[in-house]
Amino acid sequence: MPLEHTEPLRRAHGTRRTAAGPAGPAGSPGPADASRAAGPAAEGPVPGSEANPAPAPTPAPAPVPVRMPDHQGGDPPTLLTAHGCWYPSPDPAGARVAFICDRAGVPQLWSGPVRGAEAHVLDGDPDPVTEVSWSPDGRWIAYTSAPGGGEHTRVLVVRPDGTGRQVLAGAEPGSSAHLGCWTRDGTALAVTVAQPSQVHAEHAGPGHLPPEAEGASPAGARAPGAAWSEDGGPALGPARGGGLAAYLVDPDAATAPVLLFSEEGAASLRVCDMSADGRFALVRRGPRGRREVLLLDTATGRTAFALHVADGDPWIGRFSADTRTLWLRSDAEREFAALLRVRLDEDGNSRGLSVAAEREGSGLDLLSVPDHGRWAVLAWNAHGATELESAGLALDGSDGGIGPYRHPALPHEVVTRIAPVDRGGLFAALSGSRRRPGIWELDEALVPTRTGWSARDQDAVPPGRPPVRPVPLRCQARDGLVLGGWYYRAPEQDPGRPAPCVIHLHGGPEEQERPVFDPLYHELLGRGLDVFAPDVRGSSGWGRSFVDADLGHGRFAAIDDVADCAAHVVSLGYADPLRLGVMGRSYGGYLTMASVVWHPDLFRAGVAVCGMSDFATFFAGTEPWIAQSAAAKYGHPGRDRELLRALSPMSRIDQLRAPVLAVHGEHDTNVPPTESEQFVRAARDRGVSARLLTLRNEGHEFLRADNRRLYRRAAADWLERHLR
């Protein structure tokens, strides 16, 4: 089907949504909202139609800013020589950069000059920082932090000198907020607010499970506060209070918050861009694998345009300076994401859609366009490594090609974020197989220079044990599907002798194994254990068909992929078939549990980190917006109850033979700790060696240096004991 659309696309979902213009009192919809339909149901009217109006849902309440004490004292002591710096956001002049750095042992907000090493911390709190955005007018730096290391994040702003710190959204107990874009003039920041669910609304602090949920729940048990459908499965969406709403918030508090968009039972919601005149908003919403972008008229609430867009980086597109062109990173009707150009009329309707840039066999990972819109920076995923380029964008409204292209030579393999500067050049966060994350400045000629506050390459690891450069491997699954991955050979390993090997499985499942330095791998390699990190079906980077190959009953094949990857490295003579281990985090933790019960005689030990052991208890205990995405990926807990039961490792726990270490963050509300607890308890009841390590002040991601070190050493000790 050609990529030419002259009419708005029909929505393929049945949620209710609202969009609003300027609000009245804080948190109240605009005057037109009371009579405007929230959105059509599936098979309903074309977006923007006023047919079949329905009552608008009650949005998550408007955020109430809370002033915080200014950061006092000097910079925290440097605990990590081999620290990481990432997520750069420059000021409008390109003279200073705000970024995230973990040199003090936890990711914090820092700022420093482009040329110089005198960076300083702007927020000395121990709560990990996850995203950063400097306002276009240079007056504020917005950032997201995770209190207690949990999943309930909040959005803050601070002046570039460290004063004026305040929580813009997410200050209420049990609530959560996410960072959106700034308006082009910098006077307001878009934030997404999650309405507290019934499961978590009554705790004293963010990220904490209620006391009743801290014990292990038997398979099929109902979590406290969870609503259940008539067929016995947990009800998703509004019944659990999982609404998401996007607001524009003025950090100076001169105007009340403005409701932009609201959706009941939403899986995700992010305001990615606002047009220069503020009339249109670009919103990304939807569950994993079914993301879409909406172009909203903020004055009327009308959806002028909608299109399927790619997973991955949430900053999915930008308006041109004159709002007549929309640039999108999308894999609509394609195997790999490309740069799409959408021509817009004065009302935001599509006048045509075309492919502006694409690559055969490679997807567009990152897209960044400065406010003036004269050029774009594109990061392409070439089997895990990044190929970066800049390209001029046509400003005359034509549909011709873009260019000319410029291709910088990068010092490391993977780009994780790009931040252009209006005057020319950009900042790029780079990771590589032999260094920790750092930030490079690329000047107008795109020549890269490491910033003075990023760790040196030679400081990636302590002296005496250099990092290992992995080699790419391809192997074939039993049904013929070709899988990819990276093999790490332990130093001083006898090249002609099979070695103990750990199959490491990434999360997602849509994540991708990429050639970046991983301290966990470094720890395992130092113990004489090889590591094979494959991309089983469901991983990104190999095309849309590969991502979707694990849906439904295809997940059984994904479990078999793990065994096929192990068999492949054994057949190559790399791995000893009697000394194979398996480990992974998040979905990789689930896959680890599944692998040791589906293939009980293959693996000698397992390490399952933040994994789901039973889909019934997972759906009952997770956050409502996560449940929405998970249902689209794994199956609906009501309609697909039998499939989910069959896919749950707890359903085959009697087959477990290998000793298992389970690791979990105590504040994980993405995959509740009860998932690990019940698996360990069931293993012990059957006489299998099992241990649970709970990391304090951590959520689904482990962000504190001391906890990461504890986790790495515990995992390596466990695997070394059972494999060597």
Side-chain angles (χ1 to χ4, degrees), residues 239-567:
R240 297 188 59 197
L244 296 179
Y247 288 88
L248 281 179
V249 182
D250 176 8
D252 294 312
T255 60
V258 175
L259 176 64
L260 285 176
F261 188 83
S262 179
E263 180 175 356
E264 286 185 291
S268 68
L269 188 62
R270 174 92 65 155
V271 182
C272 298
D273 196 19
M274 299 285 295
S275 62
D277 60 5
R279 181 182 174 188
F280 298 110
L282 189 67
V283 175
R284 192 203 71 157
R285 49 86 56 206
R288 298 180 326 211
R290 297 209 304 261
R291 308 285 193 201
E292 69 172 349
V293 68
L294 308 178
L295 193 159
L296 300 178
D297 186 323
T298 60
T300 66
R302 183 177 63 94
T303 301
F305 175 79
L307 184 71
H308 173 85
V309 290
D311 284 329
D313 186 69
W315 305 104
I316 209 73
R318 292 218 78 188
F319 292 106
S320 63
D322 62 2
T323 321
R324 291 305 178 94
T325 303
L326 178 61
W327 303 99
L328 291 175
R329 184 179 68 86
S330 172
D331 58 359
E333 303 167 8
R334 312 176 59 79
E335 273 293 305
F336 293 91
L339 176 64
L340 303 187
R341 177 198 291 111
V342 184
R343 294 301 182 192
L344 304 174
D345 64 19
E346 61 182 11
D347 294 321
N349 301 308
S350 171
R351 296 193 295 108
L353 189 154
S354 59
V355 178
E358 62 181 330
R359 288 195 179 189
E360 184 177 357
S362 295
L364 183 60
D365 257 357
L366 302 171
L367 165 66
S368 191
V369 182
D371 284 350
H372 55 62
R374 294 193 297 270
W375 47 277
V377 184
L378 312 174
W380 300 92
N381 184 332
H383 296 166
T386 299
E387 295 179 0
L388 195 66
E389 65 184 9
S390 70
L393 301 179
L395 299 178
D396 58 1
S398 67
D399 287 328
I402 65 174
Y405 291 92
R406 292 189 295 170
H407 303 85
L410 299 176
H412 297 286
E413 293 99 322
V414 178
V415 177
T416 60
R417 182 155 177 84
I418 44 182
V421 181
D422 281 353
R423 58 168 167 75
L426 63 121
F427 294 90
L430 302 182
S431 291
S433 60
R434 299 195 175 199
R435 71 150 294 112
R436 294 187 185 246
I439 297 173
W440 267 252
E441 180 195 11
L442 281 72
D443 60 18
E444 295 183 31
L446 298 187
V447 176
T449 303
R450 183 182 64 86
T451 56
W453 19 266
S454 291
R456 301 176 304 167
D457 290 358
Q458 55 266 40
D459 292 331
V461 295
R465 203 169 67 202
V468 172
R469 186 182 295 276
V471 296
L473 279 188
R474 304 298 297 274
C475 61
Q476 193 173 71
R478 62 191 65 185
D479 62 358
L481 186 66
V482 177
L483 313 174
W486 299 87
Y487 197 91
Y488 297 76
R489 189 71 169 176
E492 302 179 2
Q493 201 80 271
D494 185 345
R497 184 175 182 178
C501 179
V502 178
I503 309 297
H504 185 273
L505 305 164
H506 63 66
E510 304 93 339
E511 293 176 16
Q512 181 186 12
E513 189 64 37
R514 309 192 74 168
V516 298
F517 178 77
D518 190 327
L520 170 65
Y521 296 175
H522 189 256
E523 184 79 34
L524 295 172
L525 294 167
R527 309 291 186 97
L529 307 175
D530 286 5
V531 176
F532 180 39
D535 286 323
V536 300
R537 70 191 68 205
S539 305
S540 61
W542 304 95
R544 171 54 57 185
S545 298
F546 194 89
V547 171
D548 292 342
D550 67 344
L551 297 180
H553 286 82
R555 197 152 318 278
F556 292 109
I559 297 171
D560 286 338
D561 286 348
V562 182
D564 294 340
C565 288

Side-chain angles (χ1 to χ4, degrees), residues 48-59:
S49 170
E50 295 297 323
N52 301 321
T58 300

Side-chain angles (χ1 to χ4, degrees), residues 80-148:
L80 302 176
T81 301
H83 61 266
C85 295
W86 62 97
Y87 218 103
S89 184
D91 69 3
R96 297 185 64 84
V97 181
F99 58 95
I100 300 173
C101 183
D102 66 353
R103 67 173 66 183
V106 62
Q108 293 175 309
L109 177 66
W110 289 69
S111 174
V114 172
R115 295 171 183 85
E118 64 276 19
H120 300 286
V121 69
L122 294 180
D123 186 340
D125 284 358
D127 297 330
V129 173
T130 57
E131 291 183 301
V132 182
S133 180
W134 206 313
S135 67
D137 61 7
R139 298 187 308 116
W140 293 100
I141 299 171
Y143 57 107
T144 305
S145 75

Side-chain angles (χ1 to χ4, degrees), residues 87 128 199 217 230 346 507 630 652 679:
Y87 218 103
V199 175
S217 302
E230 293 181 358
E346 61 182 11
R652 297 175 61 93
F679 192 86

Side-chain angles (χ1 to χ4, degrees), residues 545-591:
S545 298
F546 194 89
V547 171
D548 292 342
D550 67 344
L551 297 180
H553 286 82
R555 197 152 318 278
F556 292 109
I559 297 171
D560 286 338
D561 286 348
V562 182
D564 294 340
C565 288
H568 181 69
V569 292
V570 167
S571 69
L572 293 176
Y574 296 168
D576 184 341
L578 300 180
R579 292 186 292 172
L580 291 171
V582 60
M583 72 172 298
R585 193 194 69 82
S586 191
Y587 176 74
Y590 157 77
L591 214 51

Side-chain angles (χ1 to χ4, degrees), residues 125-213:
D125 284 358
D127 297 330
V129 173
T130 57
E131 291 183 301
V132 182
S133 180
W134 206 313
S135 67
D137 61 7
R139 298 187 308 116
W140 293 100
I141 299 171
Y143 57 107
T144 305
S145 75
E151 308 309 306
H152 289 199
T153 55
R154 58 185 185 177
V155 175
L156 301 93
V157 291
V158 67
R159 298 285 189 186
D161 63 359
T163 63
R165 188 166 63 112
Q166 58 180 304
V167 180
L168 281 192
E172 299 81 8
S175 67
S176 188
H178 305 279
L179 187 66
C181 69
W182 287 95
T183 56
R184 295 291 180 100
D185 61 5
T187 58
L189 177 71
V191 296
T192 297
V193 180
Q195 185 173 337
S197 68
Q198 296 176 13
V199 175
H200 305 293
E202 297 181 357
H203 331 149
H208 293 272
L209 290 173
E212 301 93 331

